[in-house]
Amino acid sequence: MVTLNRPTGTATRRQVELSPADAERAAALRSMKTLALSLLIAMAVVFAIAFALQERVTWLQYVRAAAEGGMVGALADWFAVTALFRHPMGLKIPHTAIIPRRKDQIGAALSGFVEDNFLSAPVVRAKLDSADIARKAGAWLATPAGAERIAKEGSAAIRGAFTVLNDDDVQAVIEGLVRKHLLAPPWGPPIGRLAERVFDAGHHHRLVDLLVDRAADWVAANYDTVTHLVTDRSPTWVPNFANELVGDKVYIELSKFVAAVQSDPNHQVRKSIDKYLNDLARDLQFDPAMIARAETIKAQVLGDPEVRDLARRTWTTIKHALLDAVNDPHSELYRRFTTAIRDFGSRLVSEDELAGKVNAWIGDAASYAVSTYRSDIAGVIEDTIARWDAEETSQKIELQVGRDLQYIRLNGTVVGALAGLLIFTVAHAVFGG
């Protein structure tokens, strides 16, 4: 940083820190001020010499008139330029130091100008329409560097969000959503409607086939178990050979029965299962007693501790999965996200309809933003200038435009000299001398 001395309205001077760019502007401003002052001094020297010698050298009268006009023009323009930023020579002449005195009004006027002429929906939309942002953004997104940049920024945003978010608060939100959308509505009717569609389409038959097949396998592998069930339940006075005959008969009939159910898709047992399931699906929808039983089961399965544990485990799983994915540039999620970005960018470039929609969305969003918040956006200018110190504001503006304003002093010196020469020449020609 570079420091610049500036007057504070008294004999003391404060040192203000300047950025490198402002320091460069300050140096250019000093050079122009030196040039303008040098030209004024030159005019004064020429005037003094011409005034002293004009009686002996007649044509020096014209030089004197030109120099005199140049000094007047230089002094007048110096006063005008200086009066914008400070009191000339420290004298509090009325209507001087305009910028420091009217800083807030200037800020309000600038804010209003920006609001009226730049922050209007037609202006913003016209600029966005001509810019074709969608295709330009798509061309960048389609490059590996662009997609990688968006992926990195997205990863940083996710990490930042997890840093800011409180786990207990997020779990409370998940728990609230579970209670509102999962537990509050009755389970019976929706489950019944879903089951009815499944049963009507016959999708449950594969499950029935699986159960029957497993039953057949069990019967085939458990001869002793079946026969012992008969022997253990028969009276003690029944002879053993009779128990064995009965047990063997029961096993054979059971095997035949299971085989018949297994081989016949229209078996009465299968029909009974279908009827039971269809009745259950209808009862879950329309029977108050069955609906109440479903609600009781729901409450038993998902009580308060279970819901809180579900919310905790859900959030923990999501958090760890996302963090692991965004921290590993070689993870499947990271690679898929990057690929999706590049594909979307390529579509923006190649598909006119998609690009047109995106441009329209951008235009609508920007138009809504400037229409709704134009006063707030422009108000930033007014509020910022209002917070600035009056002299600091004057210095900031002078550093930006002061060098160009010094040309007014130079032009004033030249124009004044030409005007003085012209006036003297005309007056001399008309009135003589």
Side-chain angles (χ1 to χ4, degrees):
M1 302 294 286
V2 181
T3 59
L4 174 70
N5 290 327
R6 63 178 175 89
T8 63
T10 65
T12 61
R13 299 171 72 85
R14 282 191 292 174
Q15 294 217 333
V16 179
E17 289 188 345
L18 299 177
S19 66
D22 283 344
E24 184 177 346
R25 294 189 185 100
L29 176 59
R30 285 193 298 269
S31 298
M32 288 302 300
K33 285 184 176 181
T34 301
L35 178 59
L37 179 60
S38 300
L39 188 56
L40 173 60
I41 294 173
M43 286 291 176
V45 171
V46 171
F47 172 79
I49 295 173
F51 185 82
L53 300 176
Q54 65 181 344
E55 296 296 334
R56 286 178 285 177
V57 183
T58 306
W59 61 267
L60 286 178
Q61 294 177 10
Y62 293 92
V63 177
R64 183 216 70 201
E68 186 177 12
M71 286 192 298
V72 172
L75 289 172
D77 287 340
W78 165 81
F79 183 90
V81 172
T82 304
L84 288 173
F85 304 105
R86 63 187 64 85
H87 297 294
M89 299 174 60
L91 301 176
K92 294 188 177 181
I93 303 171
H95 305 294
T96 60
I98 295 173
I99 291 176
R101 287 191 305 104
R102 298 181 60 83
K103 170 179 66 71
D104 293 344
Q105 293 90 327
I106 293 173
L110 180 59
S111 175
F113 177 79
V114 171
E115 179 179 350
D116 295 337
N117 295 278
F118 294 94
L119 297 179
S120 65
V123 171
V124 172
R125 181 175 285 277
K127 181 62 178 177
L128 291 176
D129 289 342
S130 64
D132 194 11
I133 294 177
R135 279 194 169 83
K136 292 179 180 178
W140 181 70
L141 292 175
T143 63
E148 186 69 19
R149 176 67 180 274
I150 294 298
K152 287 183 178 179
E153 295 297 337
S155 299
I158 292 174
R159 285 192 295 269
F162 284 142
T163 301
V164 173
L165 290 175
N166 182 280
D167 288 351
D168 293 336
D169 294 338
V170 177
Q171 291 171 19
V173 171
I174 296 176
E175 182 178 345
L177 292 175
V178 170
R179 292 185 184 280
K180 179 180 179 181
H181 298 287
L182 184 62
L183 297 185
W187 280 16
I191 292 177
R193 287 191 294 271
L194 176 62
E196 188 174 35
R197 288 195 295 269
V198 171
F199 299 153
D200 287 344
H203 297 307
H204 65 292
H205 290 156
R206 291 186 178 181
L207 177 61
V208 174
D209 290 341
L210 176 63
L211 294 175
V212 173
D213 290 342
R214 294 301 299 273
D217 293 340
W218 184 88
V219 171
N222 288 274
Y223 172 84
D224 292 338
T225 301
V226 174
T227 56
H228 286 165
L229 286 174
V230 176
T231 303
D232 293 342
R233 285 166 175 74
S234 66
T236 57
W237 50 268
V238 176
N240 289 333
F241 74 90
N243 286 333
E244 292 176 357
L245 290 175
V246 173
D248 187 65
K249 181 64 175 178
V250 168
Y251 177 79
I252 293 173
E253 293 300 325
L254 180 60
S255 299
K256 291 180 179 179
F257 175 77
V258 173
V261 175
Q262 188 178 24
S263 61
D264 185 3
N266 295 315
H267 196 277
Q268 185 61 37
V269 172
R270 291 179 178 271
K271 292 181 178 180
S272 298
I273 293 175
D274 289 346
K275 182 177 184 306
Y276 171 78
L277 294 176
N278 284 309
D279 290 343
L280 177 62
R282 284 191 294 271
D283 290 343
L284 284 172
Q285 297 177 69
F286 307 111
D287 184 6
M290 181 60 72
I291 294 174
R293 289 178 62 185
E295 291 302 297
T296 300
I297 295 173
K298 178 183 71 176
Q300 293 173 347
V301 173
L302 293 176
D304 285 346
E306 289 79 8
V307 172
R308 284 192 291 271
D309 183 62
L310 174 64
R312 179 188 61 78
R313 287 186 285 106
T314 300
W315 171 241
T316 300
T317 301
I318 294 174
K319 181 178 180 179
H320 288 168
L322 284 177
L323 284 177
D324 290 343
V326 300
N327 288 327
D328 181 9
H330 302 292
S331 67
E332 183 67 17
L333 178 62
Y334 192 96
R335 288 189 291 105
R336 286 182 178 273
F337 182 60
T338 305
T339 302
I341 293 173
R342 295 184 63 181
D343 291 344
F344 180 68
S346 299
R347 290 184 60 199
L348 284 176
V349 175
S350 60
E351 298 182 16
D352 294 339
E353 183 178 358
L354 178 60
K357 288 182 178 180
V358 172
N359 281 328
W361 294 336
I362 295 173
D364 292 341
S367 298
Y368 173 80
V370 297
S371 299
T372 307
Y373 303 106
R374 55 187 297 185
S375 297
D376 298 323
I377 297 171
V380 173
I381 299 173
E382 182 178 356
D383 296 340
T384 301
I385 294 178
R387 288 194 298 270
W388 285 350
D389 175 75
E391 294 182 13
E392 184 180 356
T393 303
S394 178
Q395 176 191 324
K396 287 178 180 291
I397 297 176
E398 185 177 14
L399 287 176
Q400 296 296 325
V401 301
R403 182 175 181 273
D404 293 327
L405 290 177
Q406 296 308 308
Y407 282 104
I408 296 177
R409 295 176 59 186
L410 297 176
N411 294 336
T413 304
V414 175
V415 172
L418 295 175
L421 177 61
L422 179 62
I423 293 171
F424 180 80
T425 301
V426 172
H428 193 273
V430 174
F431 303 105

